[in-house]
């Protein structure tokens, strides 16, 4: 079982529904910790803890996290990533902006828009506007 970190998406007050959907996906890989970045994350942390499948909630409170900018969050995500086998975020503008930056900083591969988990290193994702489903395998040792 993999140790998984899920980055929560929110508007500052409420978690985005895409976070719970991503948690359902993440649970297929292993135990999931949910990270909530923000300036005041108490209420968001409670919402994340209430999600089915969240093993633990990490609240990362810093004034600069009040506005979710990928350039600000990516170094923090990369620093947390060392303790995890997999880092996920919702497949939204937020996740698509954040994870490639964090992966580059962590020196690891990044797979976008996963729609199915085959195993811990193999995923299915749509390409060509969803007309083709490709299977992607992340090599061992990365």
């Amino acid at each position: 079982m993999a140790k998984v970190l899920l980055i929560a998406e929110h508007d500052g007050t409420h978690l985005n529904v895409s976070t719970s959907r991503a948690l359902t996906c993440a649970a297929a890989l292993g135990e999931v910790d949910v990270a909530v970045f923000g300036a005041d994350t108490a209420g968001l942390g409670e919402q994340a803890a209430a999600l089915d499948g969240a093993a633990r909630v990490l609240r990362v409170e810093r004034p600069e996290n009040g506005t979710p900018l990928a350039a600000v969050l990516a170094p923090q995500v990369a620093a947390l990533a060392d303790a995890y086998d997999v880092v996920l975020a919702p497949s939204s503008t937020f996740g698509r902006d954040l994870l490639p930056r964090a992966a580059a900083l962590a020196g690891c591969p990044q797979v976008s828009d996963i729609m199915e988990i085959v195993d811990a290193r193999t995923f299915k994702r749509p390409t060509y506007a969803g007309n083709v489903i490709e299977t992607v395998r992340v090599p061992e040792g990365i």
Side-chain angles (χ1 to χ4, degrees):
M1 279 251 182
K3 190 170 179 190
V4 182
L5 177 65
L6 172 64
I7 309 304
E9 181 177 356
H10 60 84
D11 64 7
T13 306
H14 299 95
L15 289 181
N16 188 305
V17 68
S18 61
T19 300
S20 63
R21 291 179 182 148
L23 180 56
T24 301
C25 172
L29 290 169
E31 183 176 86
V32 183
D33 291 349
V34 180
V36 180
F37 292 83
D40 178 14
T41 61
L44 294 165
E46 289 175 8
Q47 291 173 44
L51 294 175
D52 188 34
R56 189 170 67 142
V57 174
L58 306 172
R59 293 175 36 214
V60 184
E61 289 191 8
R62 297 173 67 173
E64 62 267 32
N65 291 349
T67 304
L69 298 173
V72 173
L73 299 181
Q76 298 172 66
V77 172
L80 285 175
D82 286 341
Y84 293 89
D85 301 311
V86 178
V87 178
L88 297 174
S91 183
S92 62
T93 303
F94 170 77
R96 289 179 184 149
D97 190 24
L98 175 62
L99 287 188
R101 294 170 185 249
L105 290 170
C108 61
Q110 192 261 338
V111 180
S112 298
D113 301 327
I114 295 169
M115 61 181 278
E116 181 182 340
I117 296 172
V118 177
D119 63 35
R121 296 190 105 24
T122 309
F123 311 94
K124 291 190 177 184
R125 63 180 301 275
T127 58
Y128 297 107
N131 292 312
V132 175
I133 307 303
E134 70 178 345
T135 302
V136 178
R137 178 146 181 86
V138 178
E140 296 289 331
I142 293 179

